């Protein structure tokens, strides 16, 4: 599946079966991102499919 | 994961809530913060210090939804490649919702954009002095000045004040700054919501908010403190809230005594205010 990290704009691909393993794969703590699967906000237990488009929104303030 | 209220599909895990109940939760936390700590009432003129970023945009949206009389005040510091795009977000948010917006700039009010004022100083301190002064000046006539500080910001401030051994700052009002002559009280209605909750709410409501990060932020102590706290929080969830709670417990806003600055009339700790003396130092004659 395609994974886009925002706001950095970094793009990568992954075969992780669910959100939790996707985050572990990239050493991201669940509290540091929001996960949007096909436009919908999802929790860590959400299963992922090869055709999914996932956006990881980093939690940080711009000031 | 199921919503703890209705059993529907959760969009957020801590607390586990569906979209509808998560949004209700955020609005309830803000309402309770405002009411319980007496931040302002529905009769008050509420000025929101807005930037186009997610925190102040959520503050505008939620406070308007709760029926408060909000208006937006933005400061264009003059940070090339950053502030233009966040202000564009803010304009479209205010247009969409019919929220009155005023934008004041360092260039006009101070005499030069921040980029020209820094001159080897710490940008965040220079910026902070003028921002505070301009926000206070232009919020005059309003009953309170809302800032978008969330729980993460507050926990960082607690740690920074400890690091700098600034006990006075630690006690000086957590959710509401003390009132003083010539000083519009500052209040933080989002201070009981985590940064992640605020971001999720902005996403779910489709708020036009900029995700840009100020180019100067990386040089600040706050940035490093945030990394440390994020690490601690991952190891021990709830730590940020505990830090912020500790500040809430010791905070005892007392009326501080300000005198009017002889140059600008703004609040000063005796004599010329910090903004006027810094401007004199950086630019020579006042514009
Ligand atoms: Zn629900
Ligand atoms: Zn002054």
């Amino acid at each position: 599946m395609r994974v886009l990290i925002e706001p950095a704009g970094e793009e990568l691909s992954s075969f992780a079966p669910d959100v939790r393993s996707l985050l572990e794969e990239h050493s991201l703590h669940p509290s540091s991102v929001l996960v949007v699967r096909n436009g919908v906000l999802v929790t860590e237990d959400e299963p992922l499919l090869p055709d999914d488009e996932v956006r990881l929104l980093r939690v940080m303030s711009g000031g | 994961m199921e919503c703890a209220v209705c059993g529907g599909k959760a969009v957020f895990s801590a607390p586990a809530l569906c979209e509808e109940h998560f949004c209700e939760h955020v609005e309830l936390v803000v309402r309770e913060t405002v009411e319980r700590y007496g931040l302002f009432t529905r009769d008050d003129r509420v000025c929101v210090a807005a930037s186009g970023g997610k925190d102040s945009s959520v503050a505008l949206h939620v406070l308007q939804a709760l029926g408060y009389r909000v208006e937006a005040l933005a400061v264009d510091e003059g940070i090339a490649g950053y502030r233009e795009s966040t202000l564009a977000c803010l304009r479209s948010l205010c247009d969409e919702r019919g929220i009155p917006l005023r934008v004041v700039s360092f260039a006009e009010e101070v005499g030069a954009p921040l980029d020209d004022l820094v001159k080897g100083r710490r940008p965040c301190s220079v910026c902070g002095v003028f921002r505070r002064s301009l926000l206070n000046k232009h919020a005059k006539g309003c009953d309170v000045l809302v800032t978008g500080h969330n729980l993460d910001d507050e926990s960082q401030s607690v740690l920074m004040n400890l690091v700098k051994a600034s006990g006075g700052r630690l006690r000086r009002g957590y959710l509401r700054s003390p009132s003083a002559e010539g000083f519009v009280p500052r209040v933080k209605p989002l201070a009981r919501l985590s940064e992640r909750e605020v971001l999720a709410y902005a996403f779910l409501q489709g708020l036009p908010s900029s995700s840009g990060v100020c180019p100067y932020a990386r040089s600040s102590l706050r940035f490093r403190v945030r990394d440390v706290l994020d690490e601690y929080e991952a190891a021990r969830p709830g730590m940020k809230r505990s830090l912020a709670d500790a500040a809430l417990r010791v905070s005892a806003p007392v009326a501080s005594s300000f005198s009017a600055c002889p140059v600008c009339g703004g609040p000063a700790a005796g004599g010329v205010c910090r903004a006027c003396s810094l401007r004199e130092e950086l630019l020579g004659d006042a514009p």
Side-chain angles (χ1 to χ4, degrees):
Chain A
M1 87 206 75
R2 264 185 67 202
V3 181
L4 195 69
I5 302 182
E6 291 176 19
E10 202 183 323
E11 198 181 323
L12 34 100
S13 66
S14 168
F15 298 97
D18 56 35
V19 169
R20 189 171 286 116
S21 27
L22 172 66
L23 298 182
E24 273 167 18
E25 202 174 271
H26 298 285
S27 312
L28 290 167
H29 194 269
S31 68
S32 69
V33 288
L34 288 176
V35 183
V36 179
R37 172 179 174 259
N38 301 329
V40 179
L41 191 60
V42 295
T43 50
E44 297 90 79
D45 56 341
E46 184 79 0
L48 296 172
L49 299 170
D51 290 340
D52 284 345
E53 193 177 83
V54 177
R55 282 161 62 206
L56 302 178
L57 315 181
R58 301 215 64 144
V59 179
M60 56 165 78
S61 66
Chain B
M1 198 175 287
E2 289 177 357
C3 172
V5 178
C6 70
K9 191 170 160 42
V11 296
F12 204 82
S13 52
L17 294 170
C18 69
E19 172 162 356
E20 182 192 340
H21 290 120
F22 175 77
C23 291
E24 263 184 40
H25 151 79
V26 166
E27 288 152 18
L28 185 69
V29 169
V30 174
R31 209 186 78 199
E32 278 180 0
T33 307
V34 172
E35 289 177 359
R36 184 165 160 205
Y37 298 99
L39 302 190
F40 45 83
T41 69
R42 290 205 161 69
D43 297 327
D44 286 332
R45 233 180 110 185
V46 177
C47 180
V48 177
S51 66
K54 66 177 191 316
D55 301 294
S56 54
S57 296
V58 165
L60 281 168
H61 176 89
V62 173
L63 293 175
Q64 188 187 41
L66 291 173
Y68 294 106
R69 294 167 58 202
V70 289
E71 54 196 89
L73 172 61
V75 177
D76 181 354
E77 304 91 344
I79 304 172
Y82 169 64
R83 194 49 89 203
E84 299 92 331
S85 61
T86 75
L87 284 177
C89 281
L90 179 61
R91 284 202 179 88
S92 82
L93 177 85
C94 290
D95 278 357
E96 236 171 63
R97 279 140 231 258
I99 297 171
L101 165 68
R102 284 175 294 156
V103 181
V104 299
S105 73
F106 276 19
E108 275 177 33
E109 299 267 337
V110 182
L114 180 65
D115 289 340
D116 294 349
L117 291 169
V118 173
K119 296 178 181 164
R121 287 160 192 271
R122 282 180 306 176
C124 297
S125 348
V126 174
C127 184
V129 167
F130 292 126
R131 258 187 76 82
R132 269 192 299 279
S133 153
L134 290 187
L135 285 171
N136 186 63
K137 175 177 167 192
H138 292 277
K140 287 260 165 65
C142 295
D143 295 285
V144 286
L145 179 65
V146 162
T147 60
H149 292 95
N150 57 48
L151 187 72
D152 291 60
D153 297 322
E154 292 311 293
S155 64
Q156 290 155 19
S157 298
V158 172
L159 193 55
M160 284 167 66
N161 289 330
L162 288 173
V163 168
K164 295 188 198 160
S166 180
R169 264 177 201 253
L170 198 58
R171 280 195 306 277
R172 196 195 299 157
Y174 164 55
L175 293 166
R176 187 192 175 94
S177 68
S179 36
E181 190 62 30
F183 194 73
V184 181
R186 289 160 175 263
V187 294
K188 303 172 184 170
L190 304 191
R192 308 300 292 160
L193 289 169
S194 74
E195 183 142 38
R196 196 163 180 271
E197 286 174 304
V198 174
L199 182 65
Y201 185 86
F203 173 82
L204 291 170
Q205 296 290 338
L207 297 185
S209 65
S210 162
S211 55
V213 175
C214 176
Y216 290 121
R218 297 223 162 243
S219 64
S220 68
L221 170 64
R222 180 174 290 274
F223 217 79
R224 289 193 297 268
V225 163
R226 184 175 73 192
D227 288 345
V228 170
L229 279 179
D230 284 349
E231 220 172 283
Y232 285 171
E233 178 76 22
R236 190 173 165 222
M239 224 235 8
K240 289 179 187 171
R241 193 169 288 272
S242 310
L243 263 180
D245 285 351
L248 192 56
R249 260 178 248 122
V250 299
S251 83
V254 282
S256 2
S257 56
F258 285 108
S259 57
C261 166
V263 180
C264 72
V272 175
C273 79
R274 185 82 188 91
C276 289
S277 61
L278 185 60
R279 186 171 65 185
E280 168 78 40
E281 222 175 285
L282 293 170
L283 295 175
D285 272 349

